[in-house]
Amino acid sequence: MTPEPVVPQAPPTTRLALTHRPRRLRRTEAIRSLVRETRLSADALVLPLFVCEGRGVRREVASMPGVFNLSVDEAVKETAAANADGVRSVILFGLPASKDESGSSAWDSDAPVQSAIRAIRREVPGALVFTDVCLCEYTSHGHCGLLDGETILNDPTVNNLVRMALSHAVAGADFVAPSDMMDGRVGAIRRALDDAGFADTGIMSYAAKYCSAFYGPFRDAAGSAPSFGDRRSHQMDPANVDEALREVELDLAEGADIVMVKPAVPYLDVIAKVKERFGRPTAAYHVSGEYAMLKAAAANGWLDERRVMLETLTSIARAGADIIVTYYAREAARLL
Ligand code: PBG
């Protein structure tokens, strides 16, 4: 046996001659908050609401605890409660009573979304109302547009998206938010809004929307899963970022006021590049699957929900998002 080598004793000096001690700025909460670079604010949050038929309906979505299908009267209450929490903005999704091949209930002026826009306008005057514009919740096949066999037709779908967006503007939406990923839809919607006298209705385009498995719980909430195939022929390949910048550039050229990246956390690099390159109002959608993951881990006691929620939303803002669409909007606002 060879003897253990003797470890030399460290010298007793403990003062290092350091010019920089970054820890000085982390010493107390007062100092940390003084030098904080990203300040999350309830003003930046948008709460998604799923509006259905009926009265007094408040049906929880199984894969999204704390998220509900709401009838119009309940959607109004939820918007008012969100406002009281400091969240001024909601984005509406519709669960129509009937679906058909072309998704025609999407532009029905008495459908849940159009009715909810009018009711919110009337009863919660301070609220900002965004509406999702896509046909997948309205078509019998669950695809985002008109089909020829299994192919989603671009230009005829854009015509229907325009009708849908116009019906939202007529009902009083502040912003329409096309999430369909058809080519040219932002320009077509902008022209139609202007021609119809809605020059002040804004467009928040889902500009870089990826074909993501994180939308799963949303499709439970909205009943919008495709009956066959997937959305790869129009939503983006998760591997691409140059293409995201081209999509954003096109939507801005076509008249988008706000551009969105979706999902958020797996695409923080995309958010950062979009903000850096274009410097325009940039939104990010913290989607249903991102929310469900945190909820499930929290329910198991595996994560501290408040902390992971605020850390997640802060990271999205730090990446460059000015606006965050999130199911956590109310919970986060109450803590801010
Ligand atoms: C409609 C739409 C979807 C989402 C927003 N708008 C679903 C999809 O593209 O399948 C997803 C939102 C979420 O997962 O929270 N096309």
Side-chain angles (χ1 to χ4, degrees):
M1 279 267 293
T2 49
E4 294 250 336
V6 177
V7 179
Q9 202 60 55
T13 20
T14 51
R15 273 243 156 266
L16 302 175
L18 293 181
T19 306
H20 297 288
R21 288 183 181 271
R23 290 185 57 194
R24 276 199 288 261
L25 296 181
R26 297 179 203 135
R27 208 160 50 78
T28 66
E29 182 51 25
I31 299 174
R32 288 189 293 272
S33 66
L34 181 74
V35 299
R36 190 156 290 143
E37 299 174 39
T38 305
R39 291 174 200 280
L40 206 55
S41 152
D43 293 335
L45 305 178
V46 182
L47 176 70
L49 299 180
F50 297 99
V51 191
C52 64
E53 298 276 341
R55 268 197 79 78
V57 180
R58 193 175 168 83
R59 196 169 47 233
E60 194 165 34
V61 179
S63 51
M64 300 178 74
V67 176
F68 300 84
N69 288 172
L70 303 167
S71 51
V72 170
D73 54 320
E74 290 291 325
V76 169
K77 282 189 209 159
E78 187 70 17
T79 305
N83 267 250
D85 289 335
V87 177
R88 233 191 316 269
S89 302
V90 293
I91 181 164
L92 306 180
F93 297 88
L95 284 83
S98 66
K99 305 190 183 203
D100 60 24
E101 292 269 299
S102 60
S104 63
S105 56
W107 53 88
D108 175 351
S109 61
D110 293 320
V113 165
Q114 287 81 351
S115 307
I117 298 167
R118 288 190 297 268
I120 291 168
R121 265 278 89 81
R122 199 170 53 233
E123 293 174 45
V124 196
L128 265 185
V129 182
F130 293 70
T131 58
D132 188 81
V133 174
C134 182
L135 298 174
C136 64
E137 294 133 60
Y138 300 89
T139 53
S140 44
H141 41 71
H143 281 287
C144 304
L146 296 171
L147 296 178
D148 176 18
E150 301 208 342
T151 303
I152 299 168
L153 299 171
N154 193 88
D155 301 12
T157 296
V158 170
N159 281 327
N160 285 352
L161 294 167
V162 166
R163 297 168 83 170
M164 183 178 185
L166 267 178
S167 79
H168 293 169
V170 168
D174 294 291
F175 287 88
V176 293
S179 67
D180 52 282
M181 290 297 279
M182 295 301 119
D183 295 332
R185 89 283 205 216
V186 171
I189 291 171
R190 184 68 273 157
R191 269 190 303 282
L193 290 173
D194 290 349
D195 289 349
F198 294 99
D200 289 335
T201 306
I203 299 179
M204 174 170 80
S205 77
Y206 290 66
K209 177 173 176 178
Y210 287 87
C211 187
S212 171
F214 287 103
Y215 307 150
F218 172 95
R219 293 175 190 171
D220 292 342
S224 63
S227 57
F228 63 87
D230 53 40
R231 307 216 199 286
R232 279 177 233 218
S233 82
H234 51 295
Q235 297 182 350
M236 284 184 49
D237 184 336
N240 295 354
V241 62
D242 291 339
E243 187 189 3
L245 299 178
R246 287 198 296 276
E247 282 281 7
V248 168
E249 187 172 27
L250 284 172
D251 284 7
L252 287 170
E254 289 177 29
D257 301 287
I258 300 170
V259 285
M260 181 149 71
V261 175
K262 174 181 172 203
V265 175
Y267 299 89
L268 292 179
D269 58 324
V270 181
I271 297 170
K273 285 195 169 141
V274 166
K275 185 62 188 177
E276 218 172 271
R277 172 80 63 93
F278 300 100
R280 296 293 196 94
T282 302
Y285 199 139
H286 183 243
V287 302
S288 57
E290 299 180 80
Y291 173 81
M293 287 195 300
L294 299 187
K295 281 283 173 193
N300 276 296
W302 296 340
L303 288 174
D304 176 335
E305 185 172 19
R306 289 178 168 212
R307 293 191 55 203
V308 290
M309 166 181 72
L310 291 178
E311 184 176 339
T312 298
L313 298 177
T314 300
S315 73
I316 297 168
R318 190 195 60 231
D322 306 296
I323 299 162
I324 305 174
V325 182
T326 174
Y327 303 96
Y328 269 127
R330 289 189 60 195
E331 282 175 75
R334 278 184 241 128
L335 296 176
L336 296 173

PDB file of all heavy atoms in Angstrom, residues 96 98 100 102-109 111 113-114 132-139 160-161 163-165 167-168:
ATOM      1  N   PRO A  96     -68.255  26.068 -31.836  1.00  0.00           N
ATOM      2  CA  PRO A  96     -69.550  26.296 -32.467  1.00  0.00           C
ATOM      3  C   PRO A  96     -70.515  25.145 -32.203  1.00  0.00           C
ATOM      4  O   PRO A  96     -70.102  24.034 -31.874  1.00  0.00           O
ATOM      5  CB  PRO A  96     -69.199  26.362 -33.946  1.00  0.00           C
ATOM      6  CG  PRO A  96     -68.000  25.480 -34.070  1.00  0.00           C
ATOM      7  CD  PRO A  96     -67.238  25.641 -32.788  1.00  0.00           C
ATOM      8  N   SER A  98     -72.429  23.850 -34.510  1.00  0.00           N
ATOM      9  CA  SER A  98     -72.391  22.925 -35.638  1.00  0.00           C
ATOM     10  C   SER A  98     -71.160  23.180 -36.499  1.00  0.00           C
ATOM     11  O   SER A  98     -70.634  24.297 -36.538  1.00  0.00           O
ATOM     12  CB  SER A  98     -73.646  23.109 -36.493  1.00  0.00           C
ATOM     13  OG  SER A  98     -73.607  24.390 -37.085  1.00  0.00           O
ATOM     14  N   ASP A 100     -69.237  22.207 -40.414  1.00  0.00           N
ATOM     15  CA  ASP A 100     -69.429  21.656 -41.757  1.00  0.00           C
ATOM     16  C   ASP A 100     -68.098  21.654 -42.500  1.00  0.00           C
ATOM     17  O   ASP A 100     -67.071  22.073 -41.948  1.00  0.00           O
ATOM     18  CB  ASP A 100     -70.537  22.406 -42.514  1.00  0.00           C
ATOM     19  CG  ASP A 100     -70.222  23.891 -42.683  1.00  0.00           C
ATOM     20  OD1 ASP A 100     -69.030  24.265 -42.650  1.00  0.00           O
ATOM     21  OD2 ASP A 100     -71.163  24.677 -42.846  1.00  0.00           O
ATOM     22  N   SER A 102     -66.893  23.504 -44.828  1.00  0.00           N
ATOM     23  CA  SER A 102     -66.211  24.774 -45.091  1.00  0.00           C
ATOM     24  C   SER A 102     -66.024  25.615 -43.823  1.00  0.00           C
ATOM     25  O   SER A 102     -65.375  26.652 -43.857  1.00  0.00           O
ATOM     26  CB  SER A 102     -66.996  25.583 -46.129  1.00  0.00           C
ATOM     27  OG  SER A 102     -68.289  25.843 -45.634  1.00  0.00           O
ATOM     28  N   GLY A 103     -66.583  25.175 -42.701  1.00  0.00           N
ATOM     29  CA  GLY A 103     -66.426  25.926 -41.455  1.00  0.00           C
ATOM     30  C   GLY A 103     -67.278  27.186 -41.416  1.00  0.00           C
ATOM     31  O   GLY A 103     -66.883  28.193 -40.821  1.00  0.00           O
ATOM     32  N   SER A 104     -68.477  27.115 -42.021  1.00  0.00           N
ATOM     33  CA  SER A 104     -69.252  28.349 -42.214  1.00  0.00           C
ATOM     34  C   SER A 104     -69.746  28.988 -40.913  1.00  0.00           C
ATOM     35  O   SER A 104     -70.050  30.185 -40.895  1.00  0.00           O
ATOM     36  CB  SER A 104     -70.434  28.085 -43.152  1.00  0.00           C
ATOM     37  OG  SER A 104     -71.308  27.146 -42.565  1.00  0.00           O
ATOM     38  N   SER A 105     -69.800  28.229 -39.812  1.00  0.00           N
ATOM     39  CA  SER A 105     -70.235  28.884 -38.564  1.00  0.00           C
ATOM     40  C   SER A 105     -69.174  29.852 -38.051  1.00  0.00           C
ATOM     41  O   SER A 105     -69.425  30.615 -37.117  1.00  0.00           O
ATOM     42  CB  SER A 105     -70.595  27.844 -37.497  1.00  0.00           C
ATOM     43  OG  SER A 105     -69.518  26.969 -37.269  1.00  0.00           O
ATOM     44  N   ALA A 106     -67.993  29.852 -38.681  1.00  0.00           N
ATOM     45  CA  ALA A 106     -66.923  30.768 -38.255  1.00  0.00           C
ATOM     46  C   ALA A 106     -67.281  32.228 -38.509  1.00  0.00           C
ATOM     47  O   ALA A 106     -66.754  33.112 -37.850  1.00  0.00           O
ATOM     48  CB  ALA A 106     -65.612  30.417 -38.971  1.00  0.00           C
ATOM     49  N   TRP A 107     -68.144  32.492 -39.490  1.00  0.00           N
ATOM     50  CA  TRP A 107     -68.505  33.891 -39.759  1.00  0.00           C
ATOM     51  C   TRP A 107     -69.987  34.163 -39.493  1.00  0.00           C
ATOM     52  O   TRP A 107     -70.564  35.128 -39.969  1.00  0.00           O
ATOM     53  CB  TRP A 107     -68.087  34.324 -41.169  1.00  0.00           C
ATOM     54  CG  TRP A 107     -68.560  33.441 -42.281  1.00  0.00           C
ATOM     55  CD1 TRP A 107     -69.745  33.536 -42.950  1.00  0.00           C
ATOM     56  CD2 TRP A 107     -67.852  32.344 -42.863  1.00  0.00           C
ATOM     57  NE1 TRP A 107     -69.822  32.562 -43.906  1.00  0.00           N
ATOM     58  CE2 TRP A 107     -68.662  31.816 -43.880  1.00  0.00           C
ATOM     59  CE3 TRP A 107     -66.602  31.756 -42.613  1.00  0.00           C
ATOM     60  CZ2 TRP A 107     -68.278  30.717 -44.652  1.00  0.00           C
ATOM     61  CZ3 TRP A 107     -66.215  30.665 -43.376  1.00  0.00           C
ATOM     62  CH2 TRP A 107     -67.049  30.162 -44.382  1.00  0.00           C
ATOM     63  N   ASP A 108     -70.573  33.317 -38.657  1.00  0.00           N
ATOM     64  CA  ASP A 108     -71.968  33.503 -38.237  1.00  0.00           C
ATOM     65  C   ASP A 108     -72.007  34.607 -37.173  1.00  0.00           C
ATOM     66  O   ASP A 108     -71.355  34.484 -36.123  1.00  0.00           O
ATOM     67  CB  ASP A 108     -72.468  32.164 -37.664  1.00  0.00           C
ATOM     68  CG  ASP A 108     -73.870  32.252 -37.078  1.00  0.00           C
ATOM     69  OD1 ASP A 108     -74.406  33.370 -36.960  1.00  0.00           O
ATOM     70  OD2 ASP A 108     -74.408  31.187 -36.722  1.00  0.00           O
ATOM     71  N   SER A 109     -72.770  35.657 -37.421  1.00  0.00           N
ATOM     72  CA  SER A 109     -72.733  36.800 -36.504  1.00  0.00           C
ATOM     73  C   SER A 109     -73.338  36.455 -35.144  1.00  0.00           C
ATOM     74  O   SER A 109     -73.129  37.191 -34.178  1.00  0.00           O
ATOM     75  CB  SER A 109     -73.438  38.006 -37.124  1.00  0.00           C
ATOM     76  OG  SER A 109     -74.788  37.673 -37.360  1.00  0.00           O
ATOM     77  N   ALA A 111     -72.766  33.416 -33.618  1.00  0.00           N
ATOM     78  CA  ALA A 111     -71.987  32.321 -33.028  1.00  0.00           C
ATOM     79  C   ALA A 111     -71.343  32.801 -31.716  1.00  0.00           C
ATOM     80  O   ALA A 111     -71.338  34.000 -31.423  1.00  0.00           O
ATOM     81  CB  ALA A 111     -70.940  31.855 -34.026  1.00  0.00           C
ATOM     82  N   VAL A 113     -68.317  33.313 -30.504  1.00  0.00           N
ATOM     83  CA  VAL A 113     -67.258  34.337 -30.469  1.00  0.00           C
ATOM     84  C   VAL A 113     -67.826  35.729 -30.774  1.00  0.00           C
ATOM     85  O   VAL A 113     -67.572  36.691 -30.032  1.00  0.00           O
ATOM     86  CB  VAL A 113     -66.093  33.983 -31.428  1.00  0.00           C
ATOM     87  CG1 VAL A 113     -65.187  35.185 -31.674  1.00  0.00           C
ATOM     88  CG2 VAL A 113     -65.286  32.818 -30.859  1.00  0.00           C
ATOM     89  N   GLN A 114     -68.612  35.810 -31.852  1.00  0.00           N
ATOM     90  CA  GLN A 114     -69.169  37.123 -32.216  1.00  0.00           C
ATOM     91  C   GLN A 114     -70.066  37.656 -31.093  1.00  0.00           C
ATOM     92  O   GLN A 114     -70.030  38.854 -30.768  1.00  0.00           O
ATOM     93  CB  GLN A 114     -69.962  37.015 -33.528  1.00  0.00           C
ATOM     94  CG  GLN A 114     -69.091  36.846 -34.775  1.00  0.00           C
ATOM     95  CD  GLN A 114     -68.605  35.410 -35.011  1.00  0.00           C
ATOM     96  OE1 GLN A 114     -68.774  34.521 -34.162  1.00  0.00           O
ATOM     97  NE2 GLN A 114     -67.985  35.183 -36.153  1.00  0.00           N
ATOM     98  N   ASP A 132     -59.070  34.769 -32.286  1.00  0.00           N
ATOM     99  CA  ASP A 132     -58.311  33.824 -33.113  1.00  0.00           C
ATOM    100  C   ASP A 132     -59.082  33.619 -34.418  1.00  0.00           C
ATOM    101  O   ASP A 132     -60.297  33.424 -34.405  1.00  0.00           O
ATOM    102  CB  ASP A 132     -58.176  32.501 -32.363  1.00  0.00           C
ATOM    103  CG  ASP A 132     -57.254  31.534 -33.060  1.00  0.00           C
ATOM    104  OD1 ASP A 132     -56.029  31.669 -32.905  1.00  0.00           O
ATOM    105  OD2 ASP A 132     -57.755  30.631 -33.766  1.00  0.00           O
ATOM    106  N   VAL A 133     -58.355  33.658 -35.525  1.00  0.00           N
ATOM    107  CA  VAL A 133     -58.972  33.452 -36.834  1.00  0.00           C
ATOM    108  C   VAL A 133     -58.352  32.216 -37.480  1.00  0.00           C
ATOM    109  O   VAL A 133     -57.201  32.233 -37.914  1.00  0.00           O
ATOM    110  CB  VAL A 133     -58.780  34.695 -37.734  1.00  0.00           C
ATOM    111  CG1 VAL A 133     -59.292  34.416 -39.152  1.00  0.00           C
ATOM    112  CG2 VAL A 133     -59.488  35.907 -37.134  1.00  0.00           C
ATOM    113  N   CYS A 134     -59.114  31.124 -37.454  1.00  0.00           N
ATOM    114  CA  CYS A 134     -58.694  29.870 -38.096  1.00  0.00           C
ATOM    115  C   CYS A 134     -59.934  28.999 -38.194  1.00  0.00           C
ATOM    116  O   CYS A 134     -60.835  29.105 -37.363  1.00  0.00           O
ATOM    117  CB  CYS A 134     -57.619  29.165 -37.274  1.00  0.00           C
ATOM    118  SG  CYS A 134     -57.022  27.646 -38.057  1.00  0.00           S
ATOM    119  N   LEU A 135     -59.967  28.144 -39.187  1.00  0.00           N
ATOM    120  CA  LEU A 135     -61.190  27.368 -39.410  1.00  0.00           C
ATOM    121  C   LEU A 135     -61.217  26.018 -38.682  1.00  0.00           C
ATOM    122  O   LEU A 135     -62.257  25.355 -38.669  1.00  0.00           O
ATOM    123  CB  LEU A 135     -61.387  27.144 -40.915  1.00  0.00           C
ATOM    124  CG  LEU A 135     -61.563  28.434 -41.732  1.00  0.00           C
ATOM    125  CD1 LEU A 135     -61.611  28.104 -43.219  1.00  0.00           C
ATOM    126  CD2 LEU A 135     -62.817  29.182 -41.309  1.00  0.00           C
ATOM    127  N   CYS A 136     -60.104  25.623 -38.063  1.00  0.00           N
ATOM    128  CA  CYS A 136     -60.040  24.238 -37.561  1.00  0.00           C
ATOM    129  C   CYS A 136     -61.090  23.924 -36.491  1.00  0.00           C
ATOM    130  O   CYS A 136     -61.497  22.781 -36.329  1.00  0.00           O
ATOM    131  CB  CYS A 136     -58.641  23.892 -37.068  1.00  0.00           C
ATOM    132  SG  CYS A 136     -58.112  24.874 -35.667  1.00  0.00           S
ATOM    133  N   GLU A 137     -61.530  24.941 -35.752  1.00  0.00           N
ATOM    134  CA  GLU A 137     -62.575  24.683 -34.746  1.00  0.00           C
ATOM    135  C   GLU A 137     -63.958  24.574 -35.385  1.00  0.00           C
ATOM    136  O   GLU A 137     -64.917  24.202 -34.715  1.00  0.00           O
ATOM    137  CB  GLU A 137     -62.606  25.818 -33.706  1.00  0.00           C
ATOM    138  CG  GLU A 137     -61.361  25.898 -32.840  1.00  0.00           C
ATOM    139  CD  GLU A 137     -60.837  27.332 -32.741  1.00  0.00           C
ATOM    140  OE1 GLU A 137     -61.579  28.204 -32.263  1.00  0.00           O
ATOM    141  OE2 GLU A 137     -59.693  27.574 -33.165  1.00  0.00           O
ATOM    142  N   TYR A 138     -64.056  24.931 -36.658  1.00  0.00           N
ATOM    143  CA  TYR A 138     -65.373  25.060 -37.315  1.00  0.00           C
ATOM    144  C   TYR A 138     -65.622  24.039 -38.419  1.00  0.00           C
ATOM    145  O   TYR A 138     -66.744  23.896 -38.874  1.00  0.00           O
ATOM    146  CB  TYR A 138     -65.510  26.481 -37.877  1.00  0.00           C
ATOM    147  CG  TYR A 138     -65.416  27.521 -36.794  1.00  0.00           C
ATOM    148  CD1 TYR A 138     -64.184  28.060 -36.411  1.00  0.00           C
ATOM    149  CD2 TYR A 138     -66.555  27.929 -36.095  1.00  0.00           C
ATOM    150  CE1 TYR A 138     -64.089  28.981 -35.377  1.00  0.00           C
ATOM    151  CE2 TYR A 138     -66.471  28.852 -35.064  1.00  0.00           C
ATOM    152  CZ  TYR A 138     -65.236  29.371 -34.708  1.00  0.00           C
ATOM    153  OH  TYR A 138     -65.154  30.274 -33.679  1.00  0.00           O
ATOM    154  N   THR A 139     -64.543  23.361 -38.864  1.00  0.00           N
ATOM    155  CA  THR A 139     -64.720  22.395 -39.952  1.00  0.00           C
ATOM    156  C   THR A 139     -65.006  21.009 -39.379  1.00  0.00           C
ATOM    157  O   THR A 139     -64.474  20.638 -38.324  1.00  0.00           O
ATOM    158  CB  THR A 139     -63.455  22.320 -40.841  1.00  0.00           C
ATOM    159  OG1 THR A 139     -62.313  22.084 -40.013  1.00  0.00           O
ATOM    160  CG2 THR A 139     -63.253  23.599 -41.636  1.00  0.00           C
ATOM    161  N   ASN A 160     -62.376  32.524 -46.929  1.00  0.00           N
ATOM    162  CA  ASN A 160     -63.212  32.258 -45.758  1.00  0.00           C
ATOM    163  C   ASN A 160     -62.635  32.876 -44.485  1.00  0.00           C
ATOM    164  O   ASN A 160     -63.379  33.311 -43.609  1.00  0.00           O
ATOM    165  CB  ASN A 160     -63.426  30.755 -45.592  1.00  0.00           C
ATOM    166  CG  ASN A 160     -64.415  30.214 -46.621  1.00  0.00           C
ATOM    167  OD1 ASN A 160     -65.035  30.993 -47.338  1.00  0.00           O
ATOM    168  ND2 ASN A 160     -64.563  28.914 -46.683  1.00  0.00           N
ATOM    169  N   LEU A 161     -61.310  32.913 -44.411  1.00  0.00           N
ATOM    170  CA  LEU A 161     -60.682  33.559 -43.256  1.00  0.00           C
ATOM    171  C   LEU A 161     -61.022  35.049 -43.240  1.00  0.00           C
ATOM    172  O   LEU A 161     -61.240  35.643 -42.178  1.00  0.00           O
ATOM    173  CB  LEU A 161     -59.163  33.366 -43.287  1.00  0.00           C
ATOM    174  CG  LEU A 161     -58.700  31.917 -43.117  1.00  0.00           C
ATOM    175  CD1 LEU A 161     -57.222  31.785 -43.482  1.00  0.00           C
ATOM    176  CD2 LEU A 161     -58.928  31.441 -41.674  1.00  0.00           C
ATOM    177  N   ARG A 163     -63.759  36.390 -44.418  1.00  0.00           N
ATOM    178  CA  ARG A 163     -65.152  36.529 -43.939  1.00  0.00           C
ATOM    179  C   ARG A 163     -65.206  36.435 -42.426  1.00  0.00           C
ATOM    180  O   ARG A 163     -65.925  37.170 -41.746  1.00  0.00           O
ATOM    181  CB  ARG A 163     -66.032  35.427 -44.541  1.00  0.00           C
ATOM    182  CG  ARG A 163     -66.112  35.521 -46.051  1.00  0.00           C
ATOM    183  CD  ARG A 163     -66.721  34.269 -46.634  1.00  0.00           C
ATOM    184  NE  ARG A 163     -68.195  34.319 -46.598  1.00  0.00           N
ATOM    185  CZ  ARG A 163     -68.960  33.427 -47.226  1.00  0.00           C
ATOM    186  NH1 ARG A 163     -68.425  32.428 -47.900  1.00  0.00           N
ATOM    187  NH2 ARG A 163     -70.262  33.528 -47.167  1.00  0.00           N
ATOM    188  N   MET A 164     -64.436  35.481 -41.881  1.00  0.00           N
ATOM    189  CA  MET A 164     -64.403  35.279 -40.425  1.00  0.00           C
ATOM    190  C   MET A 164     -63.855  36.526 -39.724  1.00  0.00           C
ATOM    191  O   MET A 164     -64.459  37.035 -38.766  1.00  0.00           O
ATOM    192  CB  MET A 164     -63.531  34.056 -40.135  1.00  0.00           C
ATOM    193  CG  MET A 164     -63.455  33.675 -38.686  1.00  0.00           C
ATOM    194  SD  MET A 164     -62.430  32.177 -38.493  1.00  0.00           S
ATOM    195  CE  MET A 164     -62.657  31.894 -36.739  1.00  0.00           C
ATOM    196  N   ALA A 165     -62.718  37.025 -40.219  1.00  0.00           N
ATOM    197  CA  ALA A 165     -62.088  38.201 -39.594  1.00  0.00           C
ATOM    198  C   ALA A 165     -63.031  39.410 -39.658  1.00  0.00           C
ATOM    199  O   ALA A 165     -63.163  40.158 -38.682  1.00  0.00           O
ATOM    200  CB  ALA A 165     -60.759  38.507 -40.281  1.00  0.00           C
ATOM    201  N   SER A 167     -66.283  39.399 -39.745  1.00  0.00           N
ATOM    202  CA  SER A 167     -67.399  39.249 -38.808  1.00  0.00           C
ATOM    203  C   SER A 167     -66.944  39.575 -37.377  1.00  0.00           C
ATOM    204  O   SER A 167     -67.730  40.091 -36.582  1.00  0.00           O
ATOM    205  CB  SER A 167     -68.002  37.837 -38.894  1.00  0.00           C
ATOM    206  OG  SER A 167     -67.205  36.907 -38.194  1.00  0.00           O
ATOM    207  N   HIS A 168     -65.681  39.307 -37.066  1.00  0.00           N
ATOM    208  CA  HIS A 168     -65.162  39.672 -35.742  1.00  0.00           C
ATOM    209  C   HIS A 168     -65.028  41.195 -35.623  1.00  0.00           C
ATOM    210  O   HIS A 168     -65.340  41.772 -34.582  1.00  0.00           O
ATOM    211  CB  HIS A 168     -63.797  39.021 -35.502  1.00  0.00           C
ATOM    212  CG  HIS A 168     -63.842  37.525 -35.385  1.00  0.00           C
ATOM    213  ND1 HIS A 168     -62.705  36.739 -35.386  1.00  0.00           N
ATOM    214  CD2 HIS A 168     -64.888  36.659 -35.265  1.00  0.00           C
ATOM    215  CE1 HIS A 168     -63.051  35.464 -35.272  1.00  0.00           C
ATOM    216  NE2 HIS A 168     -64.362  35.392 -35.203  1.00  0.00           N
TER     217      HIS A 168
END
